[in-house]
């Protein structure tokens, strides 16, 4: 049985309240899709982080930090206007780490299915591609956390509803994707609410995003529950929806996204230190803000923290 700790509860409330001030909505945000990325945040060498690279650590290429990224969807990673250069929130984090380690960044577009073998075999130094820390993955990989794994409820921009806890969705019409983690959580919330006499949730499913957002705009649905990063990015671009509340993607356990390296490769402590330096100097916050991911910021990077359980 997973127990929701005080820390997790506070994380839920803080994340939820960040964008829940009455009258505050997500402004449309111009996104730079140029391959040059003049606004990308850069870092200086972090000598203390470099000293933490294990003496027997071996990078794929001399002077290079080679990173796998599944360039399939913004804001995590996608292609610039030249259809070749990979840009996005994950490449920006990769750039900060590479700079801090005194290395040139090389990003290799890699399918989600291929990154585990690529990291294990030494084809890449790391994968930075929205990988959540789990206990099962920790058996083969080391992790340096850099972002919260959040789910978010998004509503029409003028909808006043706020969702801070399971009882807040009682009686609402909520869209969710079938077969997803967020669907399972929503079903558990609904079961919990019904048991205490609250109204059931009307759960809606759509295969077409256009129809889905029309349902939100017309009032046929009250909220859409999905990965916060994706929905936040869309809200920032279009200005038609806003965040009504969010919570950990591993609810009730805390879930975190991390830079992933081969187990025992001797890089994790150095990467964790590098990220923490960027958190302290403000570069990290600026990098996330470029992609409207400030809500998912962590206070501290951790090496191999508790991950989502196997069951």
């Amino acid at each position: 049985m997973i127990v929701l700790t005080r820390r997790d509860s506070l994380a839920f409330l803080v994340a939820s309240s960040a964008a829940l001030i009455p009258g505050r909505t997500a402004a449309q945000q111009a996104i730079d899709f140029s391959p040059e990325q003049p606004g990308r945040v850069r870092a200086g060498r972090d000598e203390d982080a470099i000293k933490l690279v294990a003496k027997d650590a071996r990078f794929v290429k001399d002077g290079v930090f080679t990173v796998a990224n599944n360039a399939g969807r913004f804001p995590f990673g996608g292609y610039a206007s030249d259809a070749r250069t990979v840009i996005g929130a994950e490449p920006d984090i990769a750039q900060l780490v590479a700079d801090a380690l005194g290395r040139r960044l090389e990003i290799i577009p890699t399918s989600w299915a291929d990154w585990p073998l690529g990291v294990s075999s030494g084809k890449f130094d790391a994968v930075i591609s929205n990988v959540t820390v789990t206990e099962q993955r920790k058996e083969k990989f080391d992790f340096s956390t850099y972002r919260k794994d959040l789910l978010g409820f998004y509503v029409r921009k003028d909808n006043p509803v706020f969702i801070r806890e399971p009882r807040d969705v009682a009686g609402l019409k909520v869209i969710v994707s079938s077969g997803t983690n967020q669907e399972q959580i929503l079903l558990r919330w609904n079961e919990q609410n019904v048991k205490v006499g609250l109204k059931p949730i009307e759960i809606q499913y759509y295969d077409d995003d256009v129809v889905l957002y029309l349902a939100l705009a017309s009032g046929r649905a009250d909220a859409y529950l999905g990965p916060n990063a994706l929905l936040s990015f869309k809200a920032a671009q279009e200005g038609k929806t806003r965040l009504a509340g969010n919570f950990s993607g591993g609810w009730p356990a805390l879930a975190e996204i991390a830079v992933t390296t081969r187990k025992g490769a001797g890089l994790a402590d150095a990467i964790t230190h590098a990220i923490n330096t960027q958190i302290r100097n403000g570069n990290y916050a600026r990098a996330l803000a470029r992609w409207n991911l400030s809500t998912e910021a962590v206070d501290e990077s951790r090496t191999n923290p508790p991950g989502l359980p196997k069951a």
Side-chain angles (χ1 to χ4, degrees), residues 2 27 48 88 131 136 152 157 163 183 190 197 213-214 280 294 305:
I2 301 171
D48 289 335
V131 179
Q136 184 172 12
K157 189 175 179 180
I163 301 172
E183 180 197 27
N190 186 54
Y213 279 97
L214 281 175
R280 290 192 297 270
S294 298

Side-chain angles (χ1 to χ4, degrees), residues 38-145:
R40 175 176 283 178
V41 184
R42 302 297 298 267
R45 284 173 62 95
D46 185 341
E47 298 299 340
D48 289 335
I50 293 171
K51 291 177 183 176
L52 289 174
V53 176
K55 295 188 182 301
D56 59 349
R58 293 289 182 269
F59 288 90
V60 174
K61 297 180 181 179
D62 289 340
V64 178
F65 185 46
T66 306
V67 175
N69 178 267
N70 179 21
R73 197 166 190 182
F74 286 113
F76 305 130
Y79 289 100
S81 54
D82 65 354
R84 295 192 307 274
T85 305
V86 180
I87 62 173
E90 310 291 48
D92 280 10
I93 294 295
Q95 186 70 70
L96 289 178
V97 174
D99 287 346
L101 296 181
R103 292 178 168 267
R104 178 175 63 83
L105 175 64
E106 180 178 334
I107 295 179
I108 301 179
T110 307
S111 71
W112 178 262
D114 290 341
W115 74 255
L117 179 58
V119 173
S120 298
S121 67
K123 184 178 181 181
F124 322 117
D125 297 316
V127 57
I128 304 180
S129 194
N130 201 45
V131 179
T132 301
V133 181
T134 70
E135 287 302 309
Q136 184 172 12
R137 288 173 179 162
K138 281 168 61 179
E139 295 175 359
K140 294 183 178 180
F141 305 102
D142 286 328
F143 293 95
S144 300
T145 59

